[in-house]
Amino acid sequence: MICLCLTASTIEEDRAAFLANKEFVQLVELRVDRLKQDQFGLIVPFLASLRDDYQMKAILTLRLAEDGGSWAYGEDERRQLIHRTVDQLCAGGAKAAGLAYVDLEAGKDFGELETFVRSCACTIIRSRHNFAGTPADLLEQVEALYSTTISDASSQDPVIAKFACTCRGVADLLLLVKTTAQLRKHGRRFVVLGMGAFGVPSRILSSKLGSLWTYTSSQQVPGQAAAPGHMDPALLAQGFRFAQIGAATKVFGIIGNPVMHSRSPAFHNSRFDAEQVDAVYVPFMVDDLASFFQLASELAIAGLSVTIPHKEAVRAYLTVEDELVREIGACNTLVSRSKSWYGTNTDAPGFFAPLALLLESRPGIKRKALVLGAGGAARAIVQSLLSHGFSVLLVNRGLERAQVLVNDFLKWYPQMIEARGLDDLDYHDADFLDYCHVIVQTTSLGMQGPDSNKDALEHYQYRGHEIVYDIVYVPEQTVFLRRARQAACTVINGRPMFDEQARLQSQLFFEALKT
């Protein structure tokens, strides 16, 4: 299930958030601790409306500040409000069918309140939150949540255990996934989720991991996310086809850092949807490749896209790499074959496809190119240019890194590539200007984020005849491209390259689904 957290300060705002998202969710959590005190009298009518008008079940939560909440009116008032709300929804002894759950934090004795809540057919969620990280003894801490003062012979687990922890890196996500595997093995009822960017896969794959539901927040009102990493329910339901994800769903993904801006999930999930295959494509923020490939084994990941900064380092985990990867020295596509990894590079053909169309219309253009950057993407682009007869000047802020790349390619393409440091460029030098017929920007400068206003070639004066190509596709027009367009240059952004390389990846992923 997808659970929508209602976190506004008024019931009216919460109702609006619910109505905007009701088609995507199967459960709501009313965060009473976020409400203004003058709204407390409206809680019962609202929950009754959810139950009677929409057959929507709800979780009642009054979270303390120490557990990441906002309750500020005292513990006695908190318990009284829980009791009063449940009692009124049970009106005349009727069971509170619309109030399915009450969230009560671990480490506190709720005694008679818990007994009363359960007598009204409400299930207790015993919750714990760790905002500092993911504890090494996560399994033991989750198991401890099932301990309760109330026994119930009719149920193995008298409560549902909820544990939300901050994933500080992919190693924490790996621990979380291993924990859920053990909980499934023990037949537990649980919701275990990772907070923050590294924890996002646990939210998308929650049903595959065994969690009863995942939490979301409406993105229509900024600042109303109940926890770091909450996704929009519409994105989860439609973009990731959450309802179709189950134990047998094949997992694909993209690894990088950063990665949440990527359009790859939208591209590949739409392909899976069109073909109605049981597969999902997930963004994985990765800071440590060794831990990630352990995670990939745990999840039986079938295929991967690779982006900055892992395109070179990922080669160490390949069993087989094709000729393109060997020549380029970087890999952007992995497919699992017989429990080993095969690697190729779709960036090179993806890059050249839109450029080839322009070159056909300008047959007289000199085949010389200036390439900015010396990372994994630059390697694919340099190989593509060289293999199509271009001479290349590689410019990087650090000359040493650029020279390493040049030396790697000289054995394949002698006398066709040279390197210079960005700070050493003479922008009036005739030899330098002779390379500037095609200018390609391969770094992350200009991408959405802290470097979005930076121009990788800010001191160069465009002359208007250049083809200027920026592989960044979010935003569609970087500062670098905008300046080139203003000088009447022909420009290409990274979207055509992305589409073509993703199309080639998709072919490999669908082949993997057949094996």
Side-chain angles (χ1 to χ4, degrees), residues 28 102 106 125 137 152 224 231 246 315 353 370 402 415 509 514:
V28 298
V102 175
I125 300 170
D137 61 343
D152 184 351
Q224 289 201 0
M231 301 179 70
R315 293 182 66 195
L370 171 69
Q415 299 181 337
F509 293 163
K514 297 174 183 177

Side-chain angles (χ1 to χ4, degrees), residues 4 6-21 30 34-36 39 46 218 220-221 224:
L4 174 64
L6 300 176
T7 59
S9 61
T10 69
I11 290 294
E12 191 57 38
E13 290 175 289
D14 280 335
R15 181 180 288 107
F18 167 71
L19 292 175
N21 294 283
L30 180 60
R34 296 285 192 96
L35 290 171
K36 297 176 182 177
Q39 298 291 300
F46 177 55
S218 175
Q220 295 173 329
V221 182
Q224 289 201 0

Side-chain angles (χ1 to χ4, degrees), residues 130-205:
N130 190 324
F131 293 93
T134 301
D137 61 343
L138 178 60
L139 178 60
E140 290 77 10
Q141 290 199 30
V142 175
E143 288 284 3
L145 296 177
Y146 295 102
S147 300
T148 178
T149 57
I150 302 171
S151 61
D152 184 351
S154 67
S155 173
Q156 177 186 351
D157 295 335
V159 300
I160 291 172
K162 176 198 172 184
F163 201 110
C165 51
T166 298
C167 289
R168 298 158 297 186
V170 74
D172 282 351
L173 179 61
L174 171 62
L175 175 59
L176 186 152
V177 168
K178 287 183 174 181
T179 297
T180 60
Q182 289 299 308
L183 293 170
R184 292 197 307 275
K185 183 178 179 180
H186 298 161
R188 294 300 203 182
R189 296 191 301 165
F190 64 89
V191 177
V192 175
L193 298 168
M195 294 184 285
F198 287 102
V200 164
S202 71
R203 299 183 181 278
I204 299 170
L205 300 174

Side-chain angles (χ1 to χ4, degrees), residues 258-318:
V259 76
M260 293 305 159
H261 68 283
S262 174
R263 289 182 178 172
S264 292
F267 182 96
H268 291 289
N269 283 319
S270 67
R271 292 288 181 102
F272 293 149
D273 186 39
E275 298 297 326
Q276 289 298 293
V277 297
D278 189 12
V280 64
Y281 184 100
V282 178
F284 291 92
M285 183 92 109
V286 172
D287 59 339
D288 173 46
L289 284 173
S291 294
F292 173 77
F293 278 98
Q294 292 181 55
L295 176 67
S297 179
E298 287 286 329
L299 294 175
I301 292 176
L304 289 165
S305 309
V306 185
T307 189
I308 295 170
H310 301 307
K311 293 185 180 186
E312 296 170 76
V314 78
R315 293 182 66 195
Y317 298 88
L318 300 179

Side-chain angles (χ1 to χ4, degrees), residues 241-253:
R241 299 190 302 153
F242 182 85
Q244 281 74 51
I245 300 174
T249 301
K250 291 285 188 181
V251 179
F252 294 80

Side-chain angles (χ1 to χ4, degrees), residues 28-105:
V28 298
E29 179 186 42
L30 180 60
R31 287 291 300 271
V32 175
D33 56 296
R34 296 285 192 96
L35 290 171
K36 297 176 182 177
Q37 195 169 16
D38 63 7
Q39 298 291 300
F40 292 171
L42 302 176
I43 293 171
V44 170
F46 177 55
L47 291 174
S49 173
L50 293 178
R51 178 189 64 196
D52 300 336
D53 299 335
Y54 303 100
Q55 294 73 56
M56 183 65 60
K57 293 185 177 181
I59 304 170
L60 183 69
T61 301
L62 286 75
R63 184 85 65 221
L64 296 174
E66 63 196 68
D67 295 303
S70 306
W71 184 258
Y73 306 111
E75 180 63 5
D76 288 343
E77 174 61 22
R78 184 171 81 114
R79 297 188 182 213
Q80 290 170 15
L81 183 53
I82 293 172
H83 190 290
R84 188 163 62 248
T85 301
V86 173
D87 187 35
Q88 291 178 28
L89 283 167
C90 283
K95 301 303 183 184
L99 182 60
Y101 309 97
V102 175
D103 188 307
L104 301 176
E105 298 91 347

